[in-house]
Amino acid sequence: MSHEVILLMGPPGAGKGTQADRLAQGRSLFKLSTGDLLRANVRAGTPLGQRAKVIMDAGGLVSDEIIIAMVRDELRNRPLRLLLDGFPRTRAQAEALDELLAELGASLSAAVLLEVDEAELIKRLQSRAALEGRSDDNEATIRNRMRVYAEQTQPLLDYYQAQGKLRRVNGLASIDEVTAAISEVLS
Ligand code: ADP
């Protein structure tokens, strides 16, 4: 099968996790979620997990160096059919990804943005906090994650727009409709 590397972008609470699973399955892509990898490290109590937990609970970003090394490691010897969820989140990560793919003789296929307005995001994150008890879903952390997203990750939209790779999808529709809209922009 040919190379395909898709990024799923969007603010916290936009529904990236749900759509990432569907998209990965539908297109036979390997899902790489930096949030999931970090949470697995926290659960296993690794040194990385211990450092990351403090940062995640505060709604901050784990350092580019750690994240890039983690992704590099994860991609070793893997076919280049990837769905990236939660990565890249900073300009440095985006540039590192482009370099890594270039080294492997590939390039990014598309960056899909799930667009959801802020009021809806806060509502969703608060109900997720109640349901799942994720320790980074409390109100202060949510606000910080929104701010970090606006400051560090939103500028990446211009980066991918300039490369002609950005595809926007309305994330307010039903889960099935969003899945269909993503397939549509990727076809
Ligand atoms: P969500 O999808 O709800 O925004 P994630 O599960 O992707 O959250 O990430 C949870 C937390 O893990 C982030 O708030 C951040 O602290 C850390 N994290 C995940 N991915 C990255 C990344 N690429 N760079 C830096 N920190 C990250």
Side-chain angles (χ1 to χ4, degrees), residues 134-172:
R134 243 175 74 166
S135 60
D136 61 350
D137 273 345
N138 67 68
E139 180 141 4
T141 304
I142 290 170
R143 297 217 172 266
N144 201 35
R145 284 161 66 204
M146 298 285 191
R147 191 179 55 77
V148 168
Y149 177 80
E151 287 173 6
Q152 313 242 32
T153 308
Q154 213 150 302
L156 292 185
L157 303 181
D158 290 337
Y159 181 83
Y160 291 120
Q161 178 79 51
Q163 294 186 1
K165 303 223 161 133
L166 189 66
R167 308 281 180 269
R168 293 170 186 273
V169 166
N170 174 15
L172 286 172

Side-chain angles (χ1 to χ4, degrees), residues 93-127:
Q93 291 178 18
E95 288 172 357
L97 174 65
D98 282 347
E99 275 167 35
L100 185 59
L101 292 176
E103 274 169 33
L104 299 168
S107 65
L108 186 70
S109 313
V112 177
L113 170 68
L114 295 183
E115 297 188 287
V116 179
D117 62 74
E118 188 165 330
E120 172 69 18
L121 291 174
I122 292 179
K123 218 168 69 191
R124 288 186 185 181
L125 288 168
Q126 284 170 343
S127 67

Side-chain angles (χ1 to χ4, degrees), residues 60-73:
L61 290 184
V62 174
S63 80
D64 288 331
E65 203 187 335
I66 289 178
I67 296 287
I68 292 164
M70 201 170 76
V71 169
R72 206 175 247 289
D73 213 52

Side-chain angles (χ1 to χ4, degrees), residues 16-28 31 83 174-180:
K16 291 189 297 288
T18 307
Q19 296 299 334
D21 287 337
R22 291 177 160 220
L23 198 56
Q25 207 172 22
R27 301 178 83 89
S28 305
K31 181 182 91 154
L83 192 273
S174 72
I175 292 177
D176 285 343
E177 285 166 338
V178 174
T179 306

